[in-house]
């Protein structure tokens, strides 16, 4: 199958701006699914609201486009009822970590088998460039005209601390890595978080003088290093990419089957 | 009804009835005075292979049951005022996406944290209009545990028939009153199952194309048909659309499918209405006191009657109008500042005949309270 076979052409043209990173995420997500040879009918996409969340409509899987921040809660309901399905949750940084922050840490804590792909563009794209909990101190946004005094989350550290059993970070520049990490995340049994640094040239880029989409992607190349590289020690401001956590822990839905067994024994 | 007798709290009866109706997925967050339901379901559901989830909050609970319902489960959540407030956005999502689900609100005093352990009926209008945007909703209630049973089963049936969320608006007194209930035999009350599409896999299925009778057959999400579900206005494929015709058509559909069936959805009980000069209209635990008063005054020849509403929304205008046609006075007995009062006034030809007998201090309104107010209105007898 080609990537074209995984999309709903009826839905196109897509709504993303030229140069938006979210399309790269979609493309590589589909390639990862193709590599894995997954059946379209076995995949559910559950998303919230945001530019990133629109991914769910474009794909020819079961797609559930829900409320801002709540995708993981809906996905939990789906997974608990139909554990055989592969449930993938594309999310925005605001969606996952501001309004949906509570659901995010609790899904991680339960270690329920969902794949959360957080497209971190450090901004609220859909509503026009307000700061997000990932914008970071000193950045500019339409609601931070005098610069932002909110500090940003570290998604990887947060997810790991909350109990996610697979945690990774990559960028839209590193597409082969993105594709491979998404594959591993989908295959992993348990709650998987993939942070994908994804450019929003329209708002974050423009407000923070980061140049074009290409310039922003180049900065991903220059400002990130593979996990464990020596450069990080010399330049602590570099951002690490790779798989930070990958461990086998009891998965929630499987654990619930044991509850059912216990309850039936009485 | 036969045989199996139980002595239970209203909350427990609701759980028994939900299981009778086929409940197999519950998600909730503890809150007084509804918590017993979650505790009981955490025991009972897994015994049948069902799922009980204690979520991180009520927003998540409501979202989780919607996700589960879409895949084919019969779902419910239970809460009280503060939690019901948190559920409103997702409740609107269930309205928009037409996903069957049952939301129990065992009402306590509000606003805010209010009076957690005391009775109130203050969420009647919130059930109607709590979520944003034009919409219709179904809200049912009951005053005795036997009725809690049948109304709960009805709630599941209505939610499947009309593909809609149904709110069960109980209250603290009903929830915590222990009384005898006869459990019906399996099959004694007919159950409405999920209406599944007959469209085969691989064939274009239109998840949002109503049949001629207005019903929308579903395909279990995650099953053979891949389709889109969204809270945006959408066309028959479930694809987002802001085409004015599509938007108008969907909104009309969502409202009409409920409002046009108000009489079928209406559940009520009547006592001595044939010749009543003064008609009490009441519901939930307040209706217990109203019924007591009517029963005790009738032997003295006072022409007092009671219309007990079990369906609050869609408001049964026509039924209320007909039942009150001969009344000189209509007195709405409720434990709020007059929420159903307004609906009654809007329903009858002469709203100046409609009065309120209420109590809002956290104690159950008593027959004496009602009688004292009636004396002022009626000016005689009682
Ligand atoms: C309850 C609620 N609050 C606010 C909004 C408005 N809103 C829509 S998307 C969004 C932020 C999107 O940012 P993000 O999640 O980072 O996704 P992006 O668009 O950047 O991909 C907001 C605030 C909403 N839809 N619902
Ligand atoms: S606003 Fe930003 S995030 Fe949204 S589509 Fe445009 S570039 Fe992408
Ligand atoms: Mg964003």
């Amino acid at each position: 199958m080609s990537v074209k076979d995984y999309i709903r052409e009826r839905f196109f043209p897509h709504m993303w701006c030229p140069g938006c990173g979210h399309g790269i995420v979609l493309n590589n997500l589909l390639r990862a699914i193709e590599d894995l040879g997954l059946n379209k009918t076995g995949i559910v996409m559950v998303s919230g609201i945001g530019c990133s969340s629109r991914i769910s409509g474009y794909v020819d899987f079961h797609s559930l486009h829900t409320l801002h921040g709540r995708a993981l809660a809906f996905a939990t309901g789906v997974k608990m009822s139909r554990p055989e399905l592969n449930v993938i949750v594309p999310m925005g940084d605001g969606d996952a970590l501001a309004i949906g922050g509570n659901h995010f840490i609790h899904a991680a804590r339960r270690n329920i088998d969902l794949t959360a792909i957080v497209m971190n563009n450090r901004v609220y794209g859909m509503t026009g460039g307000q700061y997000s909990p990932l914008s970071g101190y000193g950045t500019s946004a339409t609601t931070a005209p005098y610069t932002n005094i909110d500090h940003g989350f570290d998604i990887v550290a947060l997810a790991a601390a909350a109990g996610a059993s697979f945690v990774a970070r990559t960028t839209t520049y590193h597409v082969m890595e993105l594709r491979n990490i998404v594959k591993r995340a989908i295959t992993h049994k348990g709650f998987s978080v993939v942070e994908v640094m994804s450019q929003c040239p329209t708002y974050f880029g423009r407000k923070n003088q980061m140049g074009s989409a290409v310039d922003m992607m180049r900065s991903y190349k220059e400002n990130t290093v593979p996990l464990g590289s020596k450069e990080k020690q010399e330049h602590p401001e570099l951002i690490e990419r790779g798989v930070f956590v990958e461990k086998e822990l009891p998965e929630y839905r499987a654990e619930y089957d044991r509850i059912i067994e216990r309850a039936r024994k009485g | 009804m036969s045989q199996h007798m139980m002595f239970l709290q209203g909350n427990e009866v609701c759980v028994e009835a939900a299981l009778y109706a086929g409940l197999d997925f519950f998600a909730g967050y503890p809150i007084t005075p509804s918590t017993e339901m979650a505790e009981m379901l955490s025991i009972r559901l897994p015994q049948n292979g069902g799922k009980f989830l204690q979520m991180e909050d009520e927003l998540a609970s409501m979202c989780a049951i919607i996700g589960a319902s879409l895949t084919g489960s019969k779902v419910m959540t239970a809460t009280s005022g503060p939690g019901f407030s948190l559920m409103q956005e997702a409740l609107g999502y269930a309205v928009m996406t037409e996903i069957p689900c049952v939301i129990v609100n065992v009402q306590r005093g509000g606003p805010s944290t209010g009076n957690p352990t005391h009775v109130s009926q203050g969420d009647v209008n919130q059930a109607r209009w709590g979520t944003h945007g034009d919409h219709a909703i179904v809200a049912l209630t009951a005053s005795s545990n036997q009725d809690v049973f049948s109304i709960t089963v009805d709630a599941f049936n209505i939610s499947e028939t009309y593909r809609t969320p149904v709110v069960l608006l109980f209250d603290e007194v009903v929830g915590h009153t222990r009384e005898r209930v006869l459990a019906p035999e399996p099959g004694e009350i007919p159950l409405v199952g999920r209406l599944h599409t007959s469209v085969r896999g691989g064939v274009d299925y239109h998840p949002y194309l109503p049949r001629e009778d207005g019903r929308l057959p579903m395909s279990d999400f995650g099953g053979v048909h891949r389709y889109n579900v969204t809270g945006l206005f959408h066309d028959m494929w479930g694809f987002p659309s802001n085409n004015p015709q599509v938007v108008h058509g969907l909104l009309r559909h969502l409202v009409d499918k409920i409002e046009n069936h108000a009489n079928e959805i209406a559940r009520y009980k009547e006592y001595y209405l044939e010749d009543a000069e003064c008609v009490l209209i009441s519901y939930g635990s307040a209706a217990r006191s109203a019924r007591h008063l009517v029963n005790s005054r009738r032997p003295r020849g006072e022409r007092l009657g009671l219309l007990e509403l079990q369906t609050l929304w869609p408001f049964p205008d026509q039924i209320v109008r007909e039942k009150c046609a001969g009344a000189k006075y209509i007195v709405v007995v409720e434990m709020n500042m007059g929420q159903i009062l307004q609906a009654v006034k809007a329903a009858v030809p002469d709203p100046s005949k409609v009065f309120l007998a209420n109590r809002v201090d956290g104690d159950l309104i008593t027959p004496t309270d009602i009688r004292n107010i009636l004396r002022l209105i009626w000016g005689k007898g009682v």
Side-chain angles (χ1 to χ4, degrees):
Chain A
M1 278 214 242
S2 71
V3 162
K4 214 171 129 261
D5 297 320
Y6 289 104
I7 60 176
R8 291 176 174 142
E9 282 180 76
R10 206 186 260 157
F11 238 100
F12 283 74
H14 62 67
M15 52 76 72
W16 296 313
C17 308
C20 177
H22 295 347
I24 301 175
V25 179
L26 171 59
N27 189 337
N28 286 284
L29 173 64
L30 295 180
R31 285 174 196 279
I33 287 168
E34 186 186 12
D35 289 351
L36 291 171
L38 299 180
N39 179 347
K40 293 199 282 190
T41 305
I43 305 173
V44 178
M45 286 270 180
V46 186
S47 68
I49 301 290
C51 297
S52 38
S53 296
R54 286 300 183 98
I55 277 193
S56 63
Y58 299 137
V59 293
D60 187 19
F61 309 137
H62 307 286
S63 57
L64 182 56
H65 180 236
T66 67
L67 302 173
H68 190 32
R70 318 278 166 227
L72 289 170
F74 284 90
T76 298
V78 171
K79 185 71 186 181
M80 288 303 285
S81 292
R82 298 287 300 257
E84 73 282 9
L85 296 168
N86 259 306
V87 184
I88 302 173
V89 187
M91 318 178 81
D93 49 322
D95 191 51
L97 293 147
I99 193 163
N102 202 32
H103 309 308
F104 184 82
I105 56 175
H106 287 276
R109 176 179 61 81
R110 289 186 191 105
N111 194 36
I112 184 162
D113 188 22
L114 307 172
T115 305
I117 298 177
V118 184
M119 293 174 235
N120 178 12
N121 56 13
R122 305 178 64 190
V123 74
Y124 290 161
M126 174 139 274
T127 42
Q130 300 77 28
Y131 65 87
S132 89
L134 273 301
S135 299
Y137 188 87
T139 53
S140 286
T142 56
T143 44
Y146 309 111
T147 77
N148 187 13
I149 56 169
D150 277 31
H151 296 277
F153 273 132
D154 176 336
I155 299 178
V156 164
L158 181 71
S165 53
F166 182 97
V167 182
R169 178 189 290 128
T170 182
T171 85
T172 51
Y173 176 83
H174 302 91
V175 287
M176 283 314 290
E177 182 182 273
L178 168 59
R179 178 168 167 177
N180 282 321
I181 284 180
V182 169
K183 263 160 60 179
R184 278 166 73 180
I186 292 175
T187 320
H188 179 77
K189 271 266 159 241
F191 190 64
S192 318
V193 177
V194 181
E195 173 187 355
V196 187
M197 297 167 65
S198 173
Q199 71 279 7
C200 169
T202 307
Y203 294 114
F204 191 79
R206 189 164 52 79
K207 277 280 168 189
N208 292 282
Q209 287 86 44
M210 303 194 68
S212 67
V214 175
D215 296 328
M216 291 179 83
M217 288 176 72
R218 193 176 295 121
S219 80
Y220 290 153
K221 176 182 174 214
E222 288 160 3
N223 298 329
T224 66
V225 286
L227 181 60
S229 71
K230 250 200 275 149
E231 280 166 280
K232 172 77 181 172
Q233 281 150 22
E234 287 152 31
H235 304 280
E237 71 285 358
L238 289 172
I239 299 168
E240 288 178 303
R241 309 187 316 272
V243 176
F244 293 73
V245 177
E246 188 171 26
K247 55 187 175 190
E248 265 188 50
L249 288 177
E251 191 275 323
Y252 192 75
R253 181 60 180 78
E255 287 289 293
Y256 200 84
D257 277 338
R258 315 234 318 254
I259 291 286
I260 292 175
E261 261 173 52
R262 260 176 253 159
R264 282 191 163 144
K265 276 192 203 129
Chain B
M1 277 213 193
S2 62
Q3 313 48 358
H4 182 54
M5 171 115 64
M6 307 180 290
F7 186 70
L8 296 173
Q9 282 190 348
N11 284 344
E12 295 167 331
V13 175
C14 179
V15 165
E16 292 293 349
L19 292 168
Y20 181 95
L23 175 74
D24 57 9
F25 190 102
F26 177 97
Y29 190 84
I31 185 167
T32 304
S34 75
T35 308
E36 297 84 4
M37 300 179 67
E39 288 174 341
M40 196 169 158
L41 283 165
S42 73
I43 301 170
R44 297 287 295 279
L45 275 173
Q47 291 173 341
N48 306 330
K51 319 291 176 320
F52 165 88
L53 281 183
Q54 182 172 311
M55 295 299 286
E56 52 273 21
D57 55 32
E58 288 86 349
L59 299 93
S61 305
M62 188 64 208
C63 298
I65 65 165
I66 294 171
S69 175
L70 199 51
T71 64
S73 297
K74 279 203 175 176
V75 304
M76 180 170 92
T77 185
T79 187
S80 189
F84 193 52
S85 292
L86 290 183
M87 290 176 181
Q88 293 301 330
E89 189 194 10
L91 177 58
Y93 184 85
V95 168
M96 183 60 129
T97 53
E98 306 187 63
I99 297 179
C101 53
V102 174
I103 303 102
V104 185
N105 174 358
V106 187
Q107 295 169 92
R108 65 191 222 177
S112 190
T113 309
N115 203 352
T117 54
H118 286 70
V119 71
S120 159
Q121 296 177 321
D123 303 347
V124 170
N125 276 337
Q126 186 190 22
R128 178 65 192 89
W129 290 116
T131 197
H132 59 280
D134 268 317
H135 63 281
I137 197 82
V138 178
L140 311 177
T141 184
S143 65
S144 72
N145 285 0
Q146 195 64 57
D147 290 351
V148 166
F149 198 105
S150 51
I151 281 291
T152 300
V153 176
D154 264 336
F156 281 89
N157 286 348
I158 291 170
S159 80
E160 293 292 342
T161 304
Y162 299 99
R163 281 192 63 170
T164 181
V166 175
V167 180
L168 278 172
L169 268 185
F170 296 139
D171 59 58
E172 191 275 336
V173 166
V174 167
H176 284 159
T177 297
R178 246 169 226 289
E179 57 188 4
R180 214 176 54 145
V181 177
L182 287 170
E185 294 292 319
E188 198 174 320
I189 308 182
L191 301 181
V192 179
R194 188 67 45 98
L195 177 66
H196 283 110
T197 178
S198 55
V199 174
R200 273 174 297 118
V203 181
D204 205 5
Y205 159 66
H206 302 99
Y208 290 100
L209 181 65
R211 293 196 312 203
E212 259 173 38
D213 64 0
R215 291 187 69 187
L216 269 93
M218 291 181 82
S219 171
D220 288 348
F221 197 73
V224 292
H225 302 103
R226 296 185 301 274
Y227 58 94
N228 189 54
V229 177
T230 177
L232 292 163
F233 276 96
H234 46 267
D235 61 19
M236 64 183 175
W237 286 279
F239 288 163
S241 171
N242 48 23
N243 173 328
Q245 241 181 317
V246 172
V247 172
H248 183 254
L250 178 53
L251 188 61
R252 286 309 306 238
H253 162 73
L254 293 177
V255 172
D256 290 349
K257 74 174 181 178
I258 305 294
E259 297 292 345
N260 290 351
H261 295 96
N263 285 350
E264 283 118 274
I265 298 171
R267 308 280 187 277
Y268 60 92
K269 293 180 140 182
E270 52 179 287
Y271 304 88
Y272 305 108
L273 286 187
E274 318 71 48
D275 63 344
E277 192 175 300
C278 176
V279 173
L280 305 183
I281 298 182
S282 191
Y283 54 93
S285 59
R288 297 174 76 103
S289 296
R291 192 168 62 240
H292 183 93
L293 181 71
V294 171
N295 284 335
S296 66
R297 304 311 290 183
R298 267 284 162 170
R300 300 177 192 216
E302 286 168 19
R303 285 162 61 188
L304 202 53
L306 169 64
L307 174 61
E308 178 186 341
L309 301 179
Q310 294 179 313
T311 298
L312 298 181
W313 310 118
F315 192 73
D317 298 79
Q318 199 192 331
I319 288 161
V320 167
R321 204 161 34 244
E322 284 168 16
K323 300 289 174 191
C324 296
K328 280 200 194 142
Y329 303 100
I330 301 161
V331 180
V332 179
V333 182
E334 55 185 341
M335 289 182 290
N336 56 46
M337 297 296 282
Q339 299 192 19
I340 284 296
L341 175 80
Q342 298 307 330
V344 173
K345 282 191 169 182
V348 299
D350 182 3
S352 69
K353 289 199 295 199
V354 185
F355 299 88
L356 174 66
N358 71 343
R359 181 156 184 171
V360 290
D361 62 354
D363 279 349
L364 179 67
I365 191 166
T366 64
T368 311
D369 294 332
I370 304 170
R371 201 177 69 186
N372 289 342
I373 296 165
L374 282 188
R375 225 181 247 138
L376 296 176
I377 299 166
W378 211 355
K380 67 157 191 188
V382 274

